[in-house]
Amino acid sequence: MAKAKNKMAYLCSECSYETARWVGQCPNCKSWNTITEFNIPAVSKTTSAINRATGGNSYGGYAGSSGKGARKLDDVSVIEANRVSTGQAEFDRVLGGGLTLGSVVLASGDPGAGKTTLLTQIAARMSLTMPTMYVTAEESLSQWKKRAQERLGLQFNNDNFWVDDSDCVEDIVVAVKEHGIKLLIADSIQAFESTSVEGSAGGVTQVKTCAQILNRLCKTEGVTLILVGQVNKDSKMAGPQTLKHIIDTTVHIDVTESNVRILRSDKNRFGDTDQVGIFQMTEKGMISVDNPSRLFLSGGDERYEGSAVTVIKDGARNLLIEIQALVTEFEGEKPIRNCIGVSYSRLALITAVLKKHGGISTHYDINISLVGGLKMADTETSTDLAVMAALLSSINSRPTPEDSVFIGEVALTGEIRQVQGGVARVKEAAKHGKQQIYIPKANYHSSMLKDLNPDQKIIPVAKIREVIEALK
């Protein structure tokens, strides 16, 4: 058989897009100066590298193959996924109810997001129940131990826990087999190298090969793997996009402007991707927040003008958030619009509607923000009514009604349009003791009343005029 030749290719280091020649800007991700010439090993060489590293046969298929060939569907047995708790309730929530044994999870996030902190906490908890190894290829063992024990104050089961600072993936495979490891945390995939292929750590070839070797190790040895991945300048997962095909689940930590961290998943073979995890970064590590709404409200009993509360839907969760507005006379050539966490285009729309259909002048400097550092997407419209209420409150120098919530989309016609999940949003507001819940008339349904106590009421509104009158 003729020996397969290596392939020369031009690949983007950000998204792994392949071109026939060098170009200055990647046609796929639009990044500049990321196209590099790579020597791509032939498939036979990469496959043999994986086989040598894991001591088995690579049958193909990122998710792992039995290698027994084609069978009739009736001959295939269904194996239920076994889950274990990581000790972090919000992490378990995003994974779908816990860490699936034998799965491969890719965790990413900006520098300082708390990836290493969270996974170190998980490693300490999991060492109580299974042989666990943390591979820290980006810092020394002394640095890692100092963070884990002195800063975070974690306790490990010394008989069941190993830590390694090797950056050679073949050495990691040997250590995993030698100690019977069942949970492997590898931090990070961009720092590992395989001696079986060419290229430096972090390159397309090395990242892909190392991930395949570790994935094969998990499938053949029954190891659960959590990989840490670095992000690029756009806060997206760096490296070859083939990594997303190799792994089972991806989770990403978003950093807000405060100490709140939001965990999301955009791929999960063992659950849905609608769940959102909320953490608070403290001196003692990442703390799961079981009542996240309190983080996005200013708190206290005193009422302030320019403040309104709404309920947003983030993934499968409904959260109460506070919107604050400061409206002042402008002194320059044109009014200033400063938006933090709120879509500028939605603010422009609401002020235009207030002027046209409400007769309210909005020729002011406007500063508006969300409490807690959250950021709303441009497509999020359920906060429109609360933004309008906060603006009116500041313009009128009068607080919004006590314990009130505003839910609804403002249309160009001055109507209050319905939003998705109206019943669930009202239920969340009622659970937090809100007394006056303003919702679109189209969302109102008698079933909402069963979640209210006698002091709570729903106020359906159809036009912005009704809200303006209520807030005078």
Side-chain angles (χ1 to χ4, degrees), residues 53-332:
T54 59
N57 294 318
S58 179
Y59 298 103
Y62 292 135
S65 169
S66 65
K68 296 180 180 179
R71 285 171 286 174
K72 292 183 177 179
L73 187 60
D74 290 342
D75 296 332
V76 177
S77 58
V78 177
I79 301 175
E80 296 295 334
N82 294 320
R83 297 182 185 271
V84 294
S85 173
T86 63
Q88 290 284 352
E90 295 297 287
F91 191 79
D92 291 345
R93 175 197 294 272
V94 175
L95 293 180
L99 185 62
T100 301
L101 296 179
S103 66
V104 180
V105 178
L106 177 63
S108 63
D110 290 325
K115 303 183 296 295
T116 299
T117 298
L118 177 61
L119 295 180
T120 301
Q121 292 175 265
I122 291 174
R125 170 62 182 267
M126 300 304 290
S127 71
L128 303 177
T129 58
M130 66 175 64
T132 302
M133 175 182 285
Y134 197 112
V135 182
T136 170
E138 296 189 342
E139 60 182 343
S140 68
L141 296 182
S142 177
Q143 290 174 319
W144 190 91
K145 181 178 180 179
K146 185 174 182 179
R147 177 197 293 112
Q149 294 190 332
E150 293 185 17
R151 184 169 73 84
L152 300 178
L154 299 175
Q155 298 294 323
F156 296 83
N157 181 355
N158 198 52
D159 297 328
N160 223 21
F161 182 75
W162 289 262
V163 62
D164 193 348
D165 62 354
S166 174
D167 59 2
C168 176
V169 73
E170 284 81 8
D171 291 345
I172 296 171
V173 171
V174 171
V176 167
K177 291 185 176 182
E178 178 183 352
H179 301 298
I181 300 301
K182 290 303 178 184
L183 173 63
L184 173 64
I185 300 176
D187 187 1
S188 67
I189 187 61
Q190 279 85 2
F192 297 131
E193 291 182 300
S194 171
T195 59
S196 302
V197 294
E198 300 176 356
S200 59
V204 172
T205 304
Q206 284 288 353
V207 170
K208 182 178 179 180
T209 301
C210 290
Q212 287 177 324
I213 289 174
L214 293 175
N215 178 70
R216 176 55 54 185
L217 172 69
C218 292
K219 303 308 179 184
T220 56
E221 300 294 326
V223 177
T224 305
L225 171 65
I226 302 179
L227 281 175
V228 177
Q230 303 303 327
V231 298
N232 57 27
K233 59 188 177 183
D234 296 321
S235 297
K236 295 181 180 179
M237 175 63 199
Q241 293 302 301
T242 49
L243 280 182
K244 286 196 173 183
H245 301 290
I246 295 173
I247 53 87
D248 298 308
T249 303
T250 60
V251 294
H252 181 81
I253 301 176
D254 288 326
V255 182
T256 69
E257 295 181 359
S258 61
N259 61 347
V260 178
R261 303 291 188 267
I262 302 177
L263 187 70
R264 308 177 193 274
S265 173
D266 61 9
K267 177 183 179 181
N268 190 351
R269 285 190 174 128
F270 306 105
D272 59 53
T273 57
D274 290 334
Q275 295 294 342
V276 176
I278 310 293
F279 295 87
Q280 199 165 14
M281 177 64 83
T282 69
E283 292 182 356
K284 291 300 182 180
M286 298 271 272
I287 307 299
S288 292
V289 179
D290 56 357
N291 181 19
S293 291
R294 66 178 175 82
L295 298 176
F296 308 120
L297 300 175
S298 60
D301 297 328
E302 189 173 354
R303 296 163 57 209
Y304 297 94
E305 62 186 55
S307 173
V309 176
T310 187
V311 182
I312 64 167
K313 184 176 177 62
D314 197 338
R317 304 181 84 163
N318 291 290
L319 304 174
L320 264 70
I321 63 169
E322 182 177 338
I323 297 174
Q324 295 181 342
L326 177 62
V327 179
T328 58
E329 296 288 342
F330 78 95
E331 298 179 355

Side-chain angles (χ1 to χ4, degrees), residues 306-312 319-325 342 346-347 350 354 368-370 376 380-394 400 404-410 416 419 425 438-440 461 464 467 471:
S307 173
V309 176
T310 187
V311 182
I312 64 167
L319 304 174
L320 264 70
I321 63 169
E322 182 177 338
I323 297 174
Q324 295 181 342
V342 177
R346 297 306 300 179
L347 175 61
I350 293 167
L354 273 175
I368 192 162
S369 69
L370 300 186
M376 294 293 97
E380 177 60 71
T381 60
S382 65
T383 59
D384 287 356
L385 196 59
V387 171
M388 189 179 74
L391 290 173
L392 291 170
S393 173
S394 184
T400 54
S404 59
V405 171
F406 300 86
I407 306 166
E409 176 184 343
V410 174
I416 308 299
V419 297
R425 295 176 197 250
Y438 291 80
I439 66 169
V461 288
I464 65 166
V467 181
L471 297 181

Side-chain angles (χ1 to χ4, degrees), residues 362-384:
T362 56
H363 208 55
Y364 300 98
D365 286 341
I366 297 177
N367 293 276
I368 192 162
S369 69
L370 300 186
V371 172
L374 274 181
K375 294 182 180 180
M376 294 293 97
D378 289 348
T379 55
E380 177 60 71
T381 60
S382 65
T383 59
D384 287 356

